[in-house]
Amino acid sequence: MEKVMKKILVTWDFTEISENALEYAIRIAKAVNNEIILLHIVKKKEEEDKALEKLQPVAEMVFQKYNIKPEIIAIEGSIFSTIGDFTADEENHINLVVMGTHGIRGMQKLTGSWALKVIASSKAPFIVVQDVPPQKEKFSDIVFPINFKTENKEKLLWAIYLAKFFESKIHVFKPLETDKYYLKKINANLSFALKYFRKKAVDYEIHTAEKSGHFAEETLKFGKKINADLILIMTTKGIGFSDYVFGAQEQYIIANAAKIPVMCINPRTDLTTVSYVIGGFGG
């Protein structure tokens, strides 16, 4: 049976920020041998053909410049549901979504919450970017925040996957916690992660926040300090309307002022066993 090529989906809106997302996607696609899809969402069905005409020269330019010919798709729908539906369709073989965002500027929190709402609709993980990629080709330093939640284990799949393909160092970052109950859970998650990092020969370091409280803020401060290439986070399980309006911690990280790319993984009920999480990507 012929092996199906996995694909990286780039959300495309003909802006500079989507061009930045495409550049990141191309780097990742070359490293992990994935194909690329450019997805543009239109408001009306009759606008699809015109959008495809606009996408065609973009695809040609990418092929001429990078020797990668992206698939182009225009679909009628809403950004808040169509991207999630597209990634959920197993026939599309989406491995990852790369999306650009302008972050939160002043009181414009809807921009940050917009990104979070799109991410929460998808089963596939997202990498959210704000700026052009740096000159270096790899995600050399990845921040891996770890707390007391059991969903931390789901991030291991992608941390190991990225470390394998980009020869990354994983910077495990834990909160400064004094509560014995939460400290026990954090240490259990830490031990679990380190066990599998060692098993897969992942290069890692352990760091602790300088201050207690507001772990997201401490994570960003640390990421900026080490000039991180990526921050790997989980989204809140069962995220609701109040999170979009008042801001979940991941919204704060996604729209960070340092413009560090953020990989967001949604909790999944089908990743229930250690063997799937750790062995699911092979190697």
Side-chain angles (χ1 to χ4, degrees), residues 97-113:
V97 181
V98 185
M99 179 175 71
T101 180
H102 294 282
I104 298 174
R105 295 175 181 171
M107 294 301 291
Q108 295 176 343
K109 294 188 70 173
L110 282 177
T111 309
S113 61

Side-chain angles (χ1 to χ4, degrees), residues 109-178:
K109 294 188 70 173
L110 282 177
T111 309
S113 61
W114 169 86
L116 182 56
K117 191 172 182 181
V118 174
I119 291 164
S121 73
S122 172
K123 286 186 177 181
F126 272 65
I127 291 183
V128 184
V129 305
Q130 299 183 56
D131 214 343
V132 294
Q135 291 298 316
K136 57 183 177 180
E137 293 292 325
K138 298 180 178 180
F139 293 113
S140 301
D141 294 280
I142 299 176
V143 179
F144 185 92
I146 196 161
N147 57 21
F148 62 89
K149 297 180 180 179
T150 56
E151 297 93 62
N152 278 285
K153 296 173 183 178
E154 295 178 27
K155 291 193 297 185
L156 285 173
L157 168 64
W158 280 96
I160 295 170
Y161 186 94
L162 293 168
K164 174 185 177 182
F165 284 102
F166 291 97
E167 299 176 347
S168 312
K169 174 174 282 188
I170 305 297
H171 295 266
V172 181
F173 188 71
K174 61 190 184 78
L176 182 62
E177 183 60 70
T178 56

Side-chain angles (χ1 to χ4, degrees), residues 134 136 141 143 221-230 260:
K136 57 183 177 180
D141 294 280
V143 179
K221 187 167 68 174
F222 173 74
K224 187 175 181 180
K225 178 181 176 182
I226 67 166
N227 195 26
D229 300 297
L230 189 71
I260 302 170

Side-chain angles (χ1 to χ4, degrees), residues 76-93:
E76 175 196 12
S78 164
I79 57 172
F80 300 122
S81 58
T82 304
I83 295 171
D85 291 342
F86 192 87
T87 62
D89 187 339
E90 293 184 0
E91 292 187 2
N92 293 324
H93 307 292

